[in-house]
Amino acid sequence: MNSEERFKIGISISKITIFINIILSALKLLAGILGRSGAMIADGIHSLSDVLSTIAVMVGLKLAKQPADEDHPYGHEKMEPIMAKILASILLITALLIGFNGIKSIIIGTTIIPGKIAIYAALLSILTKEWMYRYTLKGAKKIDSSALIADAWHHRSDAFSSIGTLVGIAGARMGYPILDPIASLVICIIITKVAIDIYKQAINQLVDHCADANTIKNIKNKIEETSGVINLDELKTRIHGNRLYVDVEICVDKNLSVCQAHDIAERVHNTTESLDNRIKHCTVHVNPNS
């Protein structure tokens, strides 16, 4: 899949989720005001923040698809994990705010009994945001986008927030207002873990981390099976955004001509690049056997 196709798919998903988020935010804010639920109003504002995070994803996809130029000869793919780091930071801040409000509610206590409309809004939010999470994650995996994966988890964090809101509202109406802040603390922990995982993945895409063990094994096997290769002297891989660079040193018969050795190197190059669509380029160095 080329960069233009990735961009079109990512932008299409982002536009749909932005539209749904705007409508959902308006409904949740209205339900919070009419139902006298501070938790639902906060949840509506949280949904509105998702619009900003999705816009950030669109910017990341736009920048990542730019072709290589004189200043960036290896392309711009690393812009995507940079945006993923920003979104992971937003997720972490969201989690900490939820946890802070939960602790504050436990200390101060709450006596407001929300109306039923807030319960219906929370249920609608949970179902909608879970669908948005699954829809966005499916597209993110299809185009292998770390920024879109982060945005998907932002949607699920909103669903978790709405679950906490629902538990809190129902608990308050049943006479157990303490359930709201307790649920908030649990959600805080879950979202924090997700944010840290996304941040670590983005870091790996920025610091030339190697490919996974299975990918390295497949590349190694294919090179060693190539006719004319006596030995695989060295194999290095590095993640570059959502793409992969491979550097190889092979050993060939020292009595071969330059053209013959080049042909073997070319076969290794073509075989490796066709093995996995994430591989952007394979560099092959030829060593003579002793």
Side-chain angles (χ1 to χ4, degrees):
M1 182 182 299
N2 60 42
S3 59
E4 191 62 36
E5 289 174 335
R6 290 184 72 252
F7 176 70
K8 287 180 179 179
I9 292 173
I11 291 297
S12 175
I13 292 171
S14 297
K15 286 181 177 179
I16 290 172
T17 56
I18 285 176
F19 177 73
I20 295 174
N21 261 327
I22 291 174
I23 294 176
L24 187 61
S25 298
L27 291 175
K28 287 161 78 170
L29 287 170
L30 181 62
I33 294 169
L34 295 178
R36 295 174 294 115
S37 171
M40 181 52 66
I41 292 174
D43 205 15
I45 295 173
H46 184 192
S47 291
L48 202 56
S49 74
D50 283 357
V51 174
L52 298 177
S53 71
T54 303
I55 291 174
V57 170
M58 295 172 73
V59 172
L61 290 170
K62 175 74 174 177
L63 294 174
K65 85 179 186 74
Q66 299 302 314
D69 53 36
E70 187 175 342
D71 293 328
H72 305 88
Y74 292 97
H76 298 76
E77 285 88 356
K78 287 190 176 183
M79 290 304 302
E80 233 179 278
I82 289 174
M83 298 311 296
K85 283 179 63 179
I86 294 173
L87 294 180
S89 299
I90 294 173
L91 266 178
L92 182 59
I93 292 171
T94 299
L96 295 177
L97 287 174
I98 291 173
F100 174 77
N101 289 331
I103 293 173
K104 187 172 71 173
S105 295
I106 291 174
I107 295 173
I108 298 175
T110 179
T111 57
I112 298 175
I113 307 300
K116 283 187 178 180
I117 189 173
I119 292 180
Y120 300 141
L123 287 170
L124 175 63
S125 176
I126 292 167
L127 294 174
T128 304
K129 298 301 291 190
E130 180 62 21
W131 175 84
M132 290 173 68
Y133 160 74
R134 294 176 183 271
Y135 172 68
T136 305
L137 187 64
K138 181 179 179 181
K141 289 182 177 179
K142 182 177 181 180
I143 65 175
D144 193 21
S145 169
S146 58
L148 211 54
I149 288 175
D151 199 36
W153 275 102
H154 205 154
H155 295 318
R156 177 160 271 191
S157 79
D158 206 359
F160 288 154
S161 177
S162 295
I163 290 173
T165 301
L166 176 62
V167 171
I169 293 170
R173 291 180 60 82
M174 294 170 61
Y176 301 99
I178 193 67
L179 287 178
D180 185 7
I182 290 176
S184 295
L185 292 177
V186 173
I187 293 166
C188 169
I189 294 171
I190 294 172
I191 298 176
T192 297
K193 182 184 183 305
V194 170
I196 292 172
D197 288 344
I198 292 172
Y199 200 90
K200 286 169 62 178
Q201 180 186 0
I203 288 293
N204 286 341
Q205 293 179 324
L206 290 170
V207 297
D208 291 342
H209 193 278
C210 67
D212 60 275
N214 189 55
T215 298
I216 294 175
K217 181 181 178 181
N218 289 338
I219 294 173
K220 181 175 182 292
N221 290 340
K222 279 295 182 181
I223 293 175
E224 290 177 340
E225 291 172 2
T226 303
S227 175
V229 175
I230 297 176
N231 186 55
L232 175 58
D233 291 343
E234 188 172 38
L235 170 61
K236 294 180 181 178
T237 61
R238 57 188 177 95
I239 297 173
H240 181 86
N242 67 308
R243 305 299 295 276
L244 194 63
Y245 279 91
V246 180
D247 296 311
V248 177
E249 287 191 21
I250 58 173
C251 178
V252 301
D253 189 341
K254 64 181 179 181
N255 296 313
L256 295 177
S257 67
V258 172
C259 289
Q260 289 173 318
H262 176 269
D263 288 342
I264 296 172
E266 192 73 11
R267 286 200 297 272
V268 169
H269 171 273
N270 295 337
T271 299
T272 302
E273 289 195 355
S274 63
L275 182 63
D276 191 318
N277 58 17
R278 292 176 300 164
I279 298 176
K280 184 173 183 177
H281 183 66
C282 173
T283 301
V284 184
H285 178 79
V286 177
N287 297 323
N289 67 327
S290 55

